[in-house]
Amino acid sequence: MAGGVDLVVIGADGGPDRAFGGSAHAPGGAGLLAEVLPGMCFDTGAAGCRVSAVAPDADANAMLTAVRDAAQHPGRWLVVCLVGQLVADPRGRRLALVTGGSTPDNAYRRGLAWDWVVSAMVHGDQEEALLLVDAVADRDTWTALERTGEDSAGELLSYSRVPLWGRIGRYTPGRRGRDAVLPGDEGSFSRALTTVLRQGVPGAPAAVAPLDLQPAVAGLLDGADPSGSSGAPGARLLVPPHGGRLLMRNRAAVRGALAGLSLSEELLAVLWRESAPTEPPSA
């Protein structure tokens, strides 16, 4: 499967500490992505997609090992999904995904460092990479993300060699955090993306790039206007860039093409689609 997709899905549950309640639904969001994404890859389908779903209570070493192992497979695409709560180091220069059993004192040291993930993806054997992010950040981490410039945490969100797609929202622990959209919960990027992939985008081609899906995904985030760029207040959308050859199946286009066929013809069309060559139109 040298031409396939390697998909690594990490939904980290930070554990019972109230400070990391933003990760409570992360395993559910990761499960949705692991279920829906493989079959939506246009030129490979589920059969051409290797999936590594990391346990929500795994430690950072196990998570990083999954990314590195996937990156060693020669292929077209490496897609990594990070779902959970982010934390910054004390100087606000680096990020980590909070892992199980963390406390406010050790969350960054024992978490999955963002730059480790990006480094593994940059040095992978795939032709292209994409990092999907569905996360929240507490006040201090959000402040670190808002800073730009060299050696700032915010600079990590614009690394050209690893395109990003997703959403990072603000999260306040305690009662005030109950109104936040949590990763994997209703209104989150994980839910919005999987809903759009399942339903498709009417009027779009049969094969669509992430940027083609972005307006429909943004429209489901917190009820935001599809043309908006920031989602709900206190949220930052990570918009996929132009270009790239990762194509997803548009189910709405398939339904439209089959709408005028008789039942027997429709069945024949389904069988043909499952056995047709899997090269994308741009290959």
Side-chain angles (χ1 to χ4, degrees):
M1 284 193 297
V5 177
D6 282 278
L7 173 66
V8 183
V9 183
I10 299 173
D13 186 346
D17 195 296
R18 187 177 67 173
F20 307 125
S23 64
H25 299 283
L32 279 174
L33 292 171
E35 174 188 349
V36 175
L37 281 174
M40 293 295 102
C41 297
F42 181 79
D43 72 329
T44 61
C49 185
R50 288 177 288 246
V51 183
S52 298
V54 183
D57 58 351
D59 61 21
N61 286 332
M63 294 177 179
L64 183 60
T65 296
V67 177
R68 285 176 171 170
D69 288 348
Q72 292 175 0
H73 296 151
R76 287 190 176 181
W77 300 284
L78 173 62
V79 181
V80 177
C81 308
L82 298 183
V83 187
Q85 185 167 340
L86 297 174
V87 64
D89 73 305
R91 294 188 296 175
R93 295 182 178 180
R94 302 178 69 190
L95 294 174
L97 187 71
V98 176
T99 55
S102 297
T103 68
D105 294 330
N106 67 14
Y108 174 76
R109 293 194 304 274
R110 71 179 296 162
L112 176 63
W114 182 288
D115 51 319
W116 293 353
V117 174
V118 171
S119 177
M121 296 177 72
V122 167
H123 294 94
D125 285 339
Q126 289 82 9
E127 297 175 13
E128 296 184 23
L130 179 65
L131 180 56
L132 302 183
V133 182
D134 185 7
V136 290
D138 62 18
R139 181 185 61 187
D140 292 341
T141 304
W142 185 266
T143 300
L145 288 172
E146 288 186 318
R147 291 197 294 268
T148 59
E150 189 175 355
D151 294 331
S152 68
E155 187 71 12
L156 297 174
L157 303 185
S158 59
Y159 191 68
S160 60
R161 294 182 62 184
V162 178
L164 304 179
W165 188 18
R167 176 189 186 275
I168 300 176
R170 295 187 63 171
Y171 172 73
T172 303
R175 295 183 61 87
R176 292 176 60 189
R178 294 181 180 179
D179 295 332
V181 175
L182 301 184
D185 204 0
E186 293 293 335
S188 68
F189 176 75
S190 300
R191 291 290 190 97
L193 175 58
T194 52
T195 297
V196 170
L197 288 175
R198 283 170 167 166
Q199 296 178 352
V201 181
V208 288
L211 190 60
D212 299 321
L213 297 173
Q214 173 62 19
V217 172
L220 295 180
L221 296 176
D222 312 320
D225 187 320
S227 62
S229 60
S230 62
R236 180 170 179 175
L237 295 192
L238 308 172
V239 180
H242 290 278
R245 294 179 295 169
L246 179 63
L247 297 175
M248 313 300 289
R249 293 179 177 177
N250 180 14
R251 285 189 168 176
V254 175
R255 287 194 298 269
L258 298 178
L261 300 180
S262 68
L263 181 60
S264 59
E265 290 173 328
E266 181 175 336
L267 290 176
L268 288 173
V270 172
L271 292 174
W272 175 85
R273 189 174 71 251
E274 293 299 323
S275 61
T278 58
E279 287 298 317
S282 60

